[in-house]
Amino acid sequence: MDRLEKIIRPVFNFELDYKILPGLVTIGKYDGTHPCLTAGTATDKVLIHSPHKRNPSTAGRILSLESNKEISLLNINQKVGCITVGTIVPDDEKDILIVGTSSHILAYHVHDNKDVFYRECPDGVQSIAVGNFKDSKSPVVMVGGNSTIHGFDHLGNEIFWTPVGDIVTSVLFMDYDKDGTNELVVSSGNFNITVFKGDQRIAEHVETEVVTHLIALPENRFAYSVMNGTVGVYEQESRLWRVKSKHVATSVHYYDLLGQLNPQLITGWSNGKIDCRSVKTGEVLFKDHMGAGIAGIVEGDYRSVGKNDLICVSTSGEVRGFTTTKTLIGEENRCENDIVMELLNQKQVLLMELKQYEYNMRYNENAVNETETYENSGVIPANTRLQIAITTNSDTRNPHVEVFVATNNSTKIRAVTIFAEGIFKSESHVVHPSLSELSSEILVPLFLPKDNPVDIHVKAMVGYPKSIQYHVFEITRQLPRFSMYALKTNKGISKPESFVQFKINERLQRICMWINQNFLLPDDVEFNSGPNLIVNLLCLRDGTDLVMQFEISGKVTFYTTNIVLGSDLVQSLCSYLNIDHLESQANFPLQESKLKALLERLSSIQEARSKLTTDVADRLSQIKFLVIKAEDSRILDELKSMAENYTELHALNQELINGHNVRLQNYNEGVETMKEINAIIQHGSRLRVGPNSANAITQCRSCIKNNNVEGLMKIMRTGVL
Amino acid sequence: MDPLVQALSLYRRRRYDKCVEVCGAILEKQPLDQAVWYLKMRAMTQRVYVDDLDSEEIPETDFLEDNAVATAPRPGTSMKTAVQPPTTALASRPRTATGRPVSGVARPGTQTRPGSALDRLKTARPITGQSARVIRLGTAAMLSQKEGPFIQVSRLNLSKYAKDPNLSKALFEYLFYHEGDIRNALELAVHATQSCEFKDWWWKVALSQCYVGLNMVRDAEQQLRSALKQHQHVEIFIRLSRIYQRLDQPLSAVDICKSGLEAFPKDVSIMTELARLHEAVHDTAPSIRFYRSIVIEDAMNTEAIASIGMYHFYNNQPELALRYYRRVLAMGAHSPELYNNLGLCCLYAQQLDLIYPCFQRALELAIDPLVKAEIWYNLSYVALTAGDVQLAVQCLNLCLSADASHAPALNNLAVLYHKTGKTNVAKAYLTSASTVDPNLPEPQINLEILLKD
């Protein structure tokens, strides 16, 4: 690596002298030609570094900073959540700065010092992207909030809305399915990456932790970074590679740093590391290190040489610029060396393996003759096999899915490691019984938190209690999507009141296939005859019932109290049967009453919020008054009244702090309520498929805007207003 | 006569005090008469009503306040950082001590005291536009509190009155203008706009007034924008433009006014707003163009005529300026500033016989010491052009006696003393000039030259 570090040196390096918040770095051409580095500072301000400004005029009373004339600050007065730039105004090439705070979004024309639009986003602003979407001709500002995505045009009109289950951490426009138009890729707090095409969601990826950043790469790929330190690249459905680090990636960018024609993926980490990886393989090609954590990586023509530089900004305000290396010295030599090294390594590994096999073979030949058992020598019989069975267990107090691992002879299983995404707190789970309890079989209980198909990789270490070395058996199995549901015996069958009902034209045999593929049942379900097929299931998570009733006429009814399960079932069945239009009737009285209560709570919260805001504004004017009065008293040497004023000021300050806490509480409650409402709407829409689902969302939005609770209920039930 | 009819008649004849008295008498007999209660409320409001659009002072640099987004905007895009005028002729146009161009007429916001923002606040002047009104209205409220307040605001069931479309608006104006109780007015407006399902633009404007008062400028902007979608009204356009001036975004304000002009072509109020805006960012040509269009629409508009006059004066056309100022005089205006300007025009237009009479009038009319100081300062200039150094020194001394912190006068005195050989006195004057106004370049430069010798 040392060798690599020496090849590329920064082409410029300077200090901003401001603390920069991670993730809040962007670059914009506010005058249409010159790029200006823009970053959010820790003091609720946005900093604009404009090195190309022609001699800043000294006319008037410019408040530009004494120390650095190149930096100007924008007051935002609220905590800056995210910043981005984009040309959103038609017929104007100048970049518009878009700043999102916890409650507002400001599109600001930096060059002309004027607002393009400023509007309230009660759902907060967590991420922003600008791009062309759907059939809109002008760019759309897509804003990800705490549980929704809003799209605005350049006048601030809302033109798109859709609920997402959790905080939207990143929004990205890219051509996902190679059809020449942009899709919206969204990562959210529930570990999902969702792809929207128009109003419809067309794909979903599940990660192990919250995805924090998304970036589009050429050739329809996109890279992502996860809270737990993973960085990876997707090409459509398939993940090309991923790596994990103990640090968190704070910024992802792509740039052709090494002059390889294809850009490389540049990642900035929270510990100040910058690394450059190959997009296709993830191999590290270059590394650098900055004094503080990386706040952001952008690119722009910062030296006015006609070519973009890669600009890295650290949280302490250090800026480092890199450019494409023209020729890598001794590249050919290096390639040869690398290949020789690699081949040598491979040879070493193969030799080791061969040696092992030879030893085993010799031993097995001798074993017949010798009296010593396998046990003493630590070698297992050649015919040892590992068997695995996955079943549901609903009899214990904590029902779960069981993985049963056993060997076919007297060998013992020392330990079992299970790798799977999203089931365990981290990625793997190890079971290692104490020496006295070793046996040739092991039961591993699994508690699946979500209804997702999961690949589990089981590695079992097989040997004898006294063995020093163990043999590792690897088995990969896929758990079906609805594993946590067990077939119910006849006793105590009850039908939940809530249901979702729809009609499909499909043979029951195919539905049986769907059931067998997606449920973990002891025996395959088969349909022989009769008017309908009824499957009674028990949810292992909460002990609720699930009754699936398929009538021969094509009518399908899922009885469950869980709307999430209902929508998951509908989506799964439809994608299996390739149905792209589905209208359904639903009845979830519990959810409906909850929705009603939530809406009421939300309106009361909002009312309280406006009152609290005015309270603060009122106190602020009193504070101003007191500060001046105190200052006047000081100048007049009236220490007594000065002290009085300051005491009063102190009390007022305390009041303000208390008020702030109340407001914070109110805000958090509001966010939570909003999130729950949006989740219900989302699940309600997922009870339908295709355009019907998108339609339901649009109508829900208009109902919420008009405060039409009854209409909302009707949409939940029937899918249309 | 029925006392109610009498009260109504009094109200129409704008004899509000009398009307309030009559209403009070009726209310003593019939305390629950809503019509009389309403009338009394209106009368009391009208008595103290101020046009808050024209009297509002936009704090230029308010301390503890950072509504403006940009702290160092590009010249020409902000009121703080206006561009230098392009032609040399106009470059000599003087500015107020805060660096803003002198405007044709005095109005709130055109005359600010020298010194930093905090320095200015240390005087007894009101701190913000808001508290200025609160203080003024507070005193008005006290006047009527002879037998206790007319309405106990704290006991008012605001949400009940908000539902009554006939009473709510009058009550709002009473709370806002008479009581100066912005918070309760705001609460009433919030309830009222809810009860009419956000369909009445009037309430949105009312809300915006409250928000501006509470310095929640962004909320006010939102209300006004939404009001504008429902109904186009000159007042809304101008209020919105004021919001952007507060946010220090003059170009946004210009955009708003221009869209206002599309809805109301040739509207004098909007054009005045535009002319002032351009003047504030030193964009003289469009400003004068708008003033000229105003004069075409309204030939009696003093502000426009005076502004055009001033433009000609600083554009080296004193004869034309004289014509405009005489027009203002002919319309009945009678102020020391006007006579002062006339005197200066006469001086430059070589109408020497009229110079002294004009200044004499100006001095007779001047009451405000600041104005007096300015007139004496100008007179010193007249004396200098006549070559009478002794008189000039006297004039400047008189100027300083009226306003001791007149930095240009101190500077000029220093120059005169230097000419007469009293270098030490000159130095002293220059030092005090630069301490009074550290931003004035002349004393500094002069001092440097003196110290070099």
Side-chain angles (χ1 to χ4, degrees), chain A residues 161-219:
Chain A
W161 183 85
T162 195
V164 177
D166 211 318
I167 291 175
V168 180
T169 51
S170 183
V171 192
L172 168 71
F173 284 109
M174 67 166 288
D175 184 6
Y176 179 81
D177 55 3
K178 300 186 180 170
D179 65 347
T181 55
N182 273 344
E183 278 80 43
L184 181 67
V185 184
V186 173
S187 66
S188 54
N190 50 7
F191 310 173
N192 283 355
I193 300 175
T194 319
V195 184
F196 290 91
K197 186 181 184 65
D199 294 326
Q200 295 178 37
R201 47 182 75 202
I202 56 169
E204 204 160 49
H205 305 289
V206 183
E207 285 299 326
T208 49
E209 251 285 353
V210 179
V211 178
T212 49
H213 292 88
L214 292 172
I215 181 164
L217 298 177
E219 297 171 48

Side-chain angles (χ1 to χ4, degrees), chain A residues 359 363 366-379:
Chain A
Y359 175 72
Y363 189 87
N366 296 344
V368 192
N369 310 329
E370 287 188 19
T371 46
E372 272 183 76
T373 53
Y374 287 106
E375 198 172 336
N376 293 335
S377 52
V379 178

Side-chain angles (χ1 to χ4, degrees), chain A residues 61-63 73-75 77 108 111-115 118 120 614-615 617-618 621 624-625 632 635, chain B residues 66 68-71 74 77 81 122 127 130 183 186 214-216 218 222 248-249 251-252 255 439:
Chain A
R61 256 140 255 256
I62 301 182
L63 284 172
L73 290 173
L74 306 182
N75 293 322
N77 294 342
Y108 178 69
H111 189 253
D112 283 355
N113 178 29
K114 65 181 190 186
D115 293 355
Y118 177 85
E120 201 180 357
T614 36
D615 270 1
D618 199 40
S621 63
K624 264 184 217 167
F625 189 66
D632 276 349
I635 288 166
Chain B
D66 35 10
V69 177
T71 52
R74 203 168 56 88
T77 58
T81 59
K122 278 175 196 157
I127 298 148
Q130 179 221 341
R183 286 197 54 197
L186 178 65
L214 290 170
N215 203 13
M216 295 159 73
R218 288 293 191 177
Q222 234 165 9
D248 193 23
Q249 299 189 0
L251 294 186
S252 295
D255 283 352
N439 291 315

Side-chain angles (χ1 to χ4, degrees), chain B residues 2-65:
Chain B
D2 182 26
L4 181 57
V5 175
Q6 190 196 355
L8 273 171
S9 161
L10 284 168
Y11 177 76
R12 266 202 300 276
R13 282 180 283 147
R14 301 193 180 191
R15 295 177 59 187
Y16 299 122
D17 283 327
K18 192 87 180 119
C19 175
V20 169
E21 250 172 55
V22 174
C23 287
I26 305 173
L27 279 175
E28 252 171 46
K29 280 180 223 151
Q30 311 160 341
L32 293 175
D33 191 334
Q34 277 204 349
V36 182
W37 190 66
Y38 177 87
L39 187 62
K40 183 170 177 187
M41 203 154 68
R42 290 295 304 152
M44 288 172 94
T45 312
Q46 283 298 325
R47 199 179 53 179
V48 296
Y49 177 80
V50 222
D51 182 3
D52 55 343
L53 258 187
D54 246 345
S55 61
E56 185 183 44
E57 188 160 332
I58 295 167
E60 195 186 354
T61 42
D62 211 342
F63 105 113
L64 280 184
E65 193 158 27

Side-chain angles (χ1 to χ4, degrees), chain A residues 299-407:
Chain A
E299 67 173 273
D301 180 10
Y302 230 53
R303 295 175 296 157
S304 298
V305 291
K307 193 192 158 302
N308 280 355
D309 298 326
L310 184 76
I311 303 164
C312 303
V313 185
S314 80
T315 48
S316 64
E318 188 189 353
V319 181
R320 217 175 263 186
F322 298 94
T323 189
T324 307
T325 325
K326 286 196 185 77
T327 44
L328 288 177
I329 309 139
E331 189 172 6
E332 282 163 28
N333 282 340
R334 209 195 64 186
C335 277
E336 269 172 30
N337 278 341
D338 277 357
I339 290 167
V340 171
M341 282 285 279
E342 208 171 296
L343 288 176
L344 274 176
N345 275 341
Q346 266 184 26
K347 189 183 165 192
Q348 203 68 31
V349 172
L350 287 171
L351 277 175
M352 282 282 284
E353 214 174 320
L354 188 66
K355 211 170 142 193
Q356 197 72 28
Y357 281 126
E358 277 170 355
Y359 175 72
N360 265 8
M361 212 153 74
R362 207 171 52 235
Y363 189 87
N364 276 330
E365 276 167 10
N366 296 344
V368 192
N369 310 329
E370 287 188 19
T371 46
E372 272 183 76
T373 53
Y374 287 106
E375 198 172 336
N376 293 335
S377 52
V379 178
I380 59 165
N383 62 349
T384 309
R385 294 282 173 272
L386 193 71
Q387 292 158 336
I388 184 166
I390 302 171
T391 50
T392 51
N393 183 345
S394 55
D395 296 332
T396 55
R397 186 128 46 90
N398 287 324
H400 53 255
V401 173
E402 275 177 352
V403 179
F404 177 74
V405 186
T407 61

Side-chain angles (χ1 to χ4, degrees), chain B residues 34 52 162 235 297-298 324 380 407 440:
Chain B
Q34 277 204 349
D52 55 343
E235 183 193 346
E297 297 303 313
D298 175 11
Y324 281 101
S380 80
L440 200 70

Side-chain angles (χ1 to χ4, degrees), chain A residues 386-388 403 405-407 412-420 424 427-433 442 444 455-462 470-477:
Chain A
L386 193 71
Q387 292 158 336
I388 184 166
V403 179
V405 186
T407 61
K412 304 279 185 261
I413 300 177
R414 184 66 190 88
V416 173
T417 314
I418 299 181
F419 288 99
F424 314 116
E427 285 182 335
S428 59
H429 182 64
V430 183
V431 183
H432 50 94
I442 270 187
V444 185
D455 281 323
I456 56 170
H457 307 275
V458 180
K459 283 186 183 175
M461 291 159 73
V462 177
Y470 293 92
H471 288 255
V472 178
F473 286 82
E474 288 188 41
I475 298 174
T476 301
R477 282 291 166 86

